[in-house]
Every structure is written in structure tokens, then in C-alpha cells.
Amino acid sequence: MVVQKSLKQSVLEAINKGSSAVVITGDWTGEEPKMDDLAVAKRIAQGEVPIIVGSGFNKDNAKKLLSVADGVIVGSSIKTDGRIDSAKTKDLVNVVRGIRIYN
């Protein structure tokens, strides 16, 4: 049985059960999460656990998503033909370094 819970309920339950982090995703693989969902999770977590972007992170939305999220899980945005692409990976790392250093 699938039980529908609010984002607030899910974040509070994760914290109360000792989760190390809360991962917020989009509706499907490769889709970024809604900024409102990240903001709600961040507010509810109150720094007790990091809020992690679990899908849709790429160099074009990195600054926006990292303005709220504490970390990310990266997958399809650094792949070409299903394999990790070193050039895409380096490019993304450089973008993130710039965001974290200068913001």
C-alpha cells in the first residue's frame, strides 16, 4: 500500500528516524526538483540534515539549485551514450567550484 505524505511529513519522519540526509528529486530521472520543494525541505530540516538534489542537476542549473541545496547526486548530466564523459564531468566540477568559492 502506498501512503501519500506531505513533503513536511516526509522530512520530519526522515529526521526523526535518523536519516543522514534528505534527497529531493524531480518527478522523473533527469528532471530537477522544484525550487519550492527544496526551500520547504530546507526550512523544515533547520540544518539537522543536509538537503540533497537527487535528480536533474547540471551546469546550467547548478547555481540556482545550490543556492538552497547542501549537495547533489549527479548522473545523467555527465554521461554521453550511457557512459561517464570526462569532459562533461570536468566542466560541471569547474562550474560548482566557482559557485562554492565565489558565492
Side-chain angles (χ1 to χ4, degrees):
M1 178 167 88
V2 175
V3 177
Q4 294 291 325
K5 296 180 188 178
S6 70
L7 180 56
K8 179 179 179 178
Q9 289 173 304
S10 295
V11 172
L12 289 173
E13 186 175 312
I15 292 168
N16 291 334
K17 296 203 181 228
S19 294
S20 298
V22 172
V23 178
I24 305 295
T25 68
D27 291 333
W28 54 80
T29 300
E31 180 182 292
E32 69 183 70
K34 295 173 184 73
M35 289 300 293
D36 287 346
D37 289 348
L38 286 172
V40 166
K42 185 79 169 185
R43 182 177 44 80
I44 293 165
Q46 297 180 4
E48 290 200 40
V49 297
I51 303 302
I52 307 296
V53 171
S55 65
F57 184 80
N58 60 57
K59 68 179 185 174
D60 297 325
N61 63 17
K63 186 172 185 174
K64 174 180 74 170
L65 294 175
L66 287 173
S67 72
V68 178
D70 300 301
V72 300
I73 297 169
V74 180
S76 56
S77 71
I78 59 169
K79 291 182 178 180
T80 299
D81 298 325
R83 301 188 72 155
I84 294 174
D85 182 315
S86 62
K88 285 183 178 181
T89 303
K90 288 176 186 175
D91 196 25
L92 181 60
V93 167
N94 287 332
V95 168
V96 171
R97 281 185 178 150
I99 293 166
R100 290 300 194 192
I101 291 171
Y102 300 110
N103 292 322

